[in-house]
Structure formats: C-alpha cells, structure tokens
Amino acid sequence: MILTVTLNTALDLTYAVPALVPHSSHRVTEVTERPGGKGVNVARVLSALGHDTVVTGFAGGATGAVLRRLLGALPHGPADALVTVGGNTRRTLAVADRSTGDTTQLNEPGPHIGADEWAAFLRTYGELLPGAEAVALCGSLPPGIHVGAYAELVRLARSAGVPVLLDTDGEPLRRGIAARPDLVKPNADELARLTGAREPLRATRDARRRGAHSVVASLGAEGLLAVTPDGIWRAAPPSAVRGNPTGAGDSAVAGLLSALAEGLGWQDRLARAVALSTATVLAPAAGEFDRAAYEELLPRVTVEQHASAA
C-alpha cells in the first residue's frame, strides 16, 4: 500500500469559459468538480496505475462530504482514511480560458484545525504507517497546523522504516527537508524560495545539502532535474507540448513514488514521472492523465545521467 497525506484537501472546481476577460461578465460553458489537494491528486494517479493507495488528511463540512462522495465514486480509487474535522473543507476554483489554453487558479485557505483534530490525525497516520510501502506528504498546511508539521511526519515515517517523499513549499518545506526525507520534489519557484538560487542545478544541490536524500526538481516543459546519491540526472519529454498543466506536478510525484515502491532505478523513475506529467498536460480534463499518451511517451523520454552529485 502507498499512503498519501493531504492535510489541506480541496474540492476542485473548474469553470471553462470561451475567453477570460478581466472586469467583465462570463458565461461558463462547462463545470467539473473532483476531489483534490495535492496528495489526493497523487493518489488518484497511483490508483489508475494499479497501486493499492490510501488517502489520509482532513475533510469536514458540506464541502468535505462532497469530496468524500466523489472520492468513493472513483472506479478502483484510493481508500478513504481522512479524519473528519469541524471546519468546512476548502474549494479551489480554476477558470480555464479556451481561447488561450491558460488557467487562472483561486485557492481558499482551508479550515482551522484544532489541537484535538491534529492529535486524531497523528493517531490515524501512526496506524497506517506500518502497512505502507511509501508515503507522500503533499501540499499546503491548513490554518492551525504548526509550521513544523511535515518535519514531524517525516521523522515518524523514518522511524517506521517507510520511504517518504515531501512536496510542499515555504517554511514547511524548509523545516521538513531538515528532517531528512528520502525524496523532495519542488518546482523551480519553490527551489528558489528555499535556497535563494535561480540556477536549477545550483539550487537543487543546495536543497539536497539541507537534508534530503535526493531532490527532484520540476522544470516545467524542460522536464526534471534530479540530484541523487547516484549522480545528477536530467529527464525531458521528446518534444514540447501545449495543454493544461494543472496536476502535472502531482502526476510526476505519483510516477516517482510508484517507481520507488516497485524498486525501480532512477532512470525508470524519472522516465515514468516525465511521461505521466506530460500526459497530464495533454489530457482533456484538468488533473487527469491521458493513458494512451503516457504509454506512447514512456519509451521516448530522454534520461541522461551525469557522473557526480557533488
């Protein structure tokens, strides 16, 4: 079983409009809703790849009930181990501009989590860890959760002997990486905020020196850059693609995590992550991945290894 943690789950709403024009009224041509939050997105991809997956984190209120209903309705979807809270789960609103392919995102902050709710989550997390092959800690922290929460969860996973991947931003990333996760997956902007460096290789090396066993950086259309104990790796799709990038980073996390759980080496991990993220950009629905595109892309991803991670 692969465990994903989403402390700030969300009900993802997508509005499609012919063209997004500031300061004007719009007629929405299509509305979609799905269970969201980074770890939930990762779990949905893992389940689609055939992995036994469990989702934990928080859900509450009317929005949380809708999220759980949608999660339960997914065919062969992840198991629900979410902890019920008193506050209302947040919503995220994506406005997709059909004329340009661009997406504008609006994210609510999430419900306030009390001390007793955090304690209930820690009990659930502790009960799930012994059965996990790997765990992903993903996304933002809701109000009320202390900034060192991910560092605490990394240490608990390491104590249980479970490989742990961290995908977050800001101070939670800074604290979490110092707890020595097995893998950290930031994007270029998150790396720059963490290290102060804009050059990708320098920033990725710096991030690894802060405590992570390995760091895989998302570089958008350029693919992935990994600094690992086995050296430096670069992986890229065979060609640039256009589409909706929503969820592409989460699909990359799913690719890395699934390959880790299967015991695959870095070349296969990175190829799977790039193929999945690219297939997500190409998918008609935001946050999904195009399986046919994924299978066609996988053998054509370019993965190059460099000698040293020093």
Side-chain angles (χ1 to χ4, degrees):
M1 176 266 284
I2 299 177
L3 176 63
T4 73
V5 174
T6 313
L7 298 179
N8 211 6
T9 57
L11 178 63
D12 289 344
L13 303 172
T14 301
Y15 288 176
V17 298
L20 181 61
V21 181
H23 316 299
S24 67
S25 179
H26 295 79
R27 185 174 297 278
V28 176
T29 57
E30 183 182 351
V31 179
T32 59
E33 61 179 10
R34 64 188 182 95
K38 292 181 71 66
V40 174
N41 298 338
V42 171
R44 294 170 73 239
V45 176
L46 287 168
S47 294
L49 292 172
H51 286 273
D52 179 20
T53 310
V54 176
V55 170
T56 191
F58 299 109
T63 307
V66 175
L67 182 150
R68 299 182 90 155
R69 175 176 57 78
L70 293 172
L71 188 64
L74 292 173
H76 312 294
D80 178 353
L82 295 166
V83 175
T84 301
V85 296
N88 202 35
T89 295
R90 69 187 177 127
R91 296 160 299 181
T92 67
L93 176 61
V95 182
D97 184 331
R98 296 302 195 203
S99 67
T100 64
D102 293 334
T103 301
T104 299
Q105 192 84 15
L106 303 172
N107 298 329
E108 295 179 357
H112 186 278
I113 304 300
D116 56 338
E117 293 168 334
W118 175 244
F121 167 77
L122 288 178
R123 288 193 296 272
T124 298
Y125 184 67
E127 291 166 0
L128 290 168
L129 276 177
E133 302 167 85
V135 59
L137 309 174
C138 302
S140 61
L141 298 179
I145 298 294
H146 66 95
V147 75
Y150 281 133
E152 182 178 357
L153 300 183
V154 168
R155 286 191 289 268
L156 288 170
R158 288 178 55 81
S159 295
V162 181
V164 56
L165 180 152
L166 178 62
D167 183 14
T168 188
D169 190 15
E171 192 61 23
L173 173 59
R174 191 180 307 277
R175 302 280 187 95
I177 203 170
R180 306 188 64 80
D182 294 89
L183 179 58
V184 174
K185 206 288 300 171
N187 61 35
D189 289 338
E190 291 162 351
L191 264 181
R193 285 190 286 270
L194 175 69
T195 67
R198 276 284 173 188
E199 197 284 312
L201 180 55
R202 177 182 175 187
T204 307
R205 281 173 161 163
D206 186 348
R208 183 167 181 258
R209 284 193 289 268
R210 291 168 183 260
H213 189 67
S214 299
V215 178
V216 177
S218 294
L219 303 179
E222 296 179 24
L224 299 175
L225 169 65
V227 178
T228 79
D230 298 328
I232 298 167
W233 303 76
R234 293 182 183 268
S239 59
V241 298
R242 285 183 58 84
N244 188 343
T246 302
D250 301 330
S251 291
V253 169
L256 293 168
L257 205 61
S258 62
L260 173 64
E262 293 170 26
L264 302 181
W266 277 106
Q267 181 158 345
D268 292 322
R269 294 185 203 180
L270 295 169
R272 182 178 294 185
V274 168
L276 277 171
S277 61
T278 305
T280 300
V281 174
L282 292 170
E288 306 291 342
F289 76 94
D290 184 318
R291 183 173 291 276
Y294 164 65
E295 293 173 353
E296 190 274 332
L297 284 162
L298 184 58
R300 299 198 299 124
V301 173
T302 302
V303 182
E304 299 177 347
Q305 181 183 11
H306 298 258
S308 172

